Amino acid sequence: MVRSGRLAAPPFDSTPMSGVAAYNFELPTTGSLSFADHFSNGSDVYTAQISDATQARANLRAILKESRHTDGDKDYLRLVKILEEYLPHLYAIINCVASGDLVQTQDPSFSWRTTLSAHLFNNSPRLSLPSLPSDLIFTLLTYGFALSNLARLNAVALGAYERERGISDVERKAKDEKLGFAVTLLCRASGLFEHVSTTVIPCAEQTPGWHTGRARPPELSKEVALALSKLALASAQALAIRKLMTKSSYDSIVTPGPPLPASHPSPALLAKLHLEASTLCASAESLLRIPASRKNDMDVAEPLLHYAHDGAALHGALARKWLGADAGANDATGVAVGFLGWAKHELDSLRDGGVRPLGVRKEDERRDRREHIAAEAEVAAQFLRYYTRMNDTVSFQPVPSQADLQTRVPAGRLAIASKAFAIPTPAFGPGSVEYIRKHADSLDLASSEESEDDQPSTTSPTGGPSYAGAGSYF
């Protein structure tokens, strides 16, 4: 990109607004359940542990109920910690049932609200769900919702710090780190949703009688979970783009006007990053619409569908804006006018008719998104006027058709990646630290009493202790 000499960019500030990057998930609630009423062990080895598991689930139920009745910002960090305390107990129960250490005395029924389904009067229906896999799926999804909402809350709290004239480099870098933390949370949420889609739900579907003849909510759909993974990754990509531009945004405020500052990222790179975010959102929308095509599945809530659709449109328009800026900086003013005209038209459409609630409940946040789109539309308009004037007075290049421009659109590029979900170590039973330690001690004792003759091995082929049901949990 040209940095000095002739104009390399139009004479105005192209600093992006903060916007609202992530979807605001409604948190579900769950009913009470005592594991002791449904599972038992003859030797009473796990009596205290089963009680602890019930208490951990009660803590989760309490904070979800509290959150539902809390106006304003919710304590997502506390929710994340309580979920991280409950999951090892839930995995322990699942492993113990698989290994035979616990016996199911009666079928458990887990009550959860489906917050992703389309429903009347904004009243999330409560479902009675059979089997442990259902509780695991809803718990993991709630974990993902909490991580995503926590990331969104952190990003919004930063404000448009990159536009503050008086901010120091130290302060800006500190806020960049907080923005990076929000990106990490979204990458974790993306990996968690993907784990639910590719591992947990397929395993649950192998459970005899699981949801046979029942209407399946979106939370129990592989396609919906995968769509959530893509949306979380698109949100992380959007924040990563913002983080990439904070230094150049500040430099443009301090010294406005052409050329773009040396700290400004390549417009071609920005275009590819937005194109990938657009692709992720478009793919997510397609996946979210699959349940509606099935006879017994509940439809996905409209705000989530709108969020995916409008996200694809917004990132696509921003990609074309940067493709136009890149073309103009490289003397292809006709191509620049074509891309920028296309981008302006799409942004105007989003501003005038495409801005919907998008999971944002607060009026000031809805207004922030409208202002963000309006600001981007004005930037595209200023770019368009600048390169139209250059093309009409200096370059005289033909403006390609939209079909021709489409052939010039490159492939997208990811700035970040999902963070794979690591199954927590069970709190007790097979796979737990105490269980492995006891087996290791018993192996040491047996080894000391063995003769020199070969004895049957009690370890797995991988060298770790083997146990009934090893590897069966998900």
Side-chain angles (χ1 to χ4, degrees):
M1 182 173 180
V2 178
R3 300 294 183 187
S4 60
R6 60 180 175 75
L7 291 181
F12 53 81
D13 172 33
S14 60
T15 304
M17 301 292 286
S18 60
V20 177
Y23 186 79
N24 184 25
F25 288 100
E26 177 189 354
L27 296 176
T29 54
T30 185
S32 61
L33 181 134
S34 171
F35 286 109
D37 293 342
H38 301 84
F39 304 95
S40 69
N41 60 109
S43 59
D44 293 332
V45 174
Y46 297 126
T47 300
Q49 288 85 346
I50 292 174
S51 177
D52 291 342
T54 298
Q55 182 60 59
R57 196 178 192 284
N59 293 341
L60 174 59
R61 176 178 181 268
I63 191 173
L64 288 174
K65 184 177 181 181
E66 175 187 325
S67 179
R68 187 170 182 83
H69 294 94
T70 299
D71 294 329
D73 294 335
K74 306 178 190 300
D75 194 347
Y76 296 117
L77 181 59
R78 179 166 160 248
L79 173 58
V80 166
K81 291 180 178 178
I82 288 177
L83 283 159
E84 290 174 348
E85 291 170 0
Y86 174 54
L87 280 169
H89 292 281
L90 181 55
Y91 274 105
I93 295 286
I94 292 172
N95 287 358
C96 285
V97 171
S99 67
D101 289 0
L102 288 180
V103 176
Q104 184 173 303
T105 57
Q106 58 177 310
D107 293 336
S109 182
F110 298 92
S111 174
W112 283 93
R113 286 190 184 275
T114 167
T115 56
L116 297 181
S117 64
H119 44 265
L120 297 176
F121 309 117
N122 198 33
N123 183 25
S124 305
R126 184 180 289 277
L127 304 176
S128 181
L129 305 169
S131 74
L132 287 165
S134 297
D135 197 48
L136 179 61
I137 292 168
F138 267 83
T139 300
L140 289 173
L141 288 178
T142 303
Y143 188 17
F145 298 159
L147 289 172
S148 181
N149 285 3
L150 179 60
R152 178 180 171 279
L153 189 64
N154 276 270
V156 171
L158 291 172
Y161 69 93
E162 59 268 48
R163 296 177 63 87
E164 297 175 8
R165 286 180 176 270
I167 193 171
S168 67
D169 283 346
V170 173
E171 291 172 322
R172 179 181 54 76
K173 289 178 181 178
K175 292 195 173 185
D176 281 352
E177 289 182 5
K178 292 180 180 179
L179 192 61
F181 176 64
V183 172
T184 299
L185 289 173
L186 287 165
C187 290
R188 287 178 59 192
S190 177
L192 198 159
F193 290 136
E194 184 177 7
H195 174 73
V196 172
S197 172
T198 60
T199 302
V200 184
I201 294 179
C203 287
E205 289 176 337
Q206 302 306 311
T207 304
W210 190 69
H211 274 275
T212 301
R214 294 171 178 261
R216 184 180 295 195
E219 286 86 347
L220 302 184
S221 163
K222 295 190 295 287
E223 294 83 4
V224 170
L226 185 57
L228 295 176
S229 174
K230 291 178 180 293
L231 287 178
L233 191 58
S235 296
Q237 179 93 338
L239 291 184
I241 294 171
R242 179 185 171 188
K243 185 172 182 290
L244 181 65
M245 295 189 67
T246 56
K247 181 63 168 68
S248 61
S249 297
Y250 174 76
D251 290 343
S252 294
I253 290 291
V254 174
T255 56
L260 292 177
S263 58
H264 200 285
S266 160
L269 172 62
L270 293 174
K272 291 178 182 179
L273 296 179
H274 279 294
L275 283 168
E276 186 64 22
S278 178
T279 298
L280 287 167
C281 290
S283 178
E285 183 190 2
S286 297
L287 290 166
L288 290 171
R289 295 192 181 279
I290 289 177
S293 66
R294 294 180 180 143
K295 183 178 180 181
N296 293 323
D297 284 7
M298 298 180 183
D299 294 353
V300 174
E302 283 295 313
L304 187 56
L305 292 168
H306 292 164
Y307 176 83
H309 177 82
D310 289 354
L314 177 57
H315 284 292
L318 295 178
R320 286 177 267 281
K321 182 193 79 171
W322 288 116
L323 286 172
D326 180 63
N330 289 283
D331 295 327
T333 54
V335 174
V337 170
F339 272 124
L340 290 165
W342 188 1
K344 181 180 180 301
H345 174 74
E346 291 181 325
L347 289 166
D348 286 342
S349 297
L350 274 171
R351 180 190 59 195
D352 297 336
V355 181
R356 290 168 282 204
L358 299 171
V360 179
R361 293 179 178 273
K362 295 183 178 180
E363 178 58 34
D364 57 343
E365 292 177 4
R366 288 196 292 268
R367 183 173 59 252
D368 180 66
R369 183 174 176 85
R370 286 195 295 269
E371 291 175 353
H372 169 57
I373 294 175
E376 291 289 4
E378 177 57 26
V379 169
Q382 291 181 3
F383 266 110
L384 179 59
R385 287 193 293 269
Y386 180 84
Y387 285 117
T388 297
R389 184 166 61 252
M390 285 188 63
N391 196 50
D392 290 347
T393 58
V394 179
S395 303
F396 306 106
Q397 297 176 7
V399 177
S401 66
Q402 187 168 312
D404 185 15
L405 291 171
Q406 186 63 53
T407 65
R408 301 170 184 258
V409 175
R413 176 177 170 182
L414 271 176
I416 36 77
S418 295
K419 183 175 176 59
F421 174 69
I423 296 174
T425 301
F428 59 91
S432 67
V433 173
E434 181 65 16
Y435 189 94
I436 293 173
R437 185 189 66 77
K438 286 183 177 180
H439 274 63
D441 290 346
S442 66
L443 288 175
D444 290 341
L445 179 62
S447 177
S448 66
E449 295 175 352
E450 285 178 356
S451 66
E452 295 182 357
D453 297 334
D454 292 336
Q455 299 294 327
S457 173
T458 57
T459 60
S460 71
T462 60
S466 63
Y467 53 86
S472 63
Y473 61 89
F474 45 87

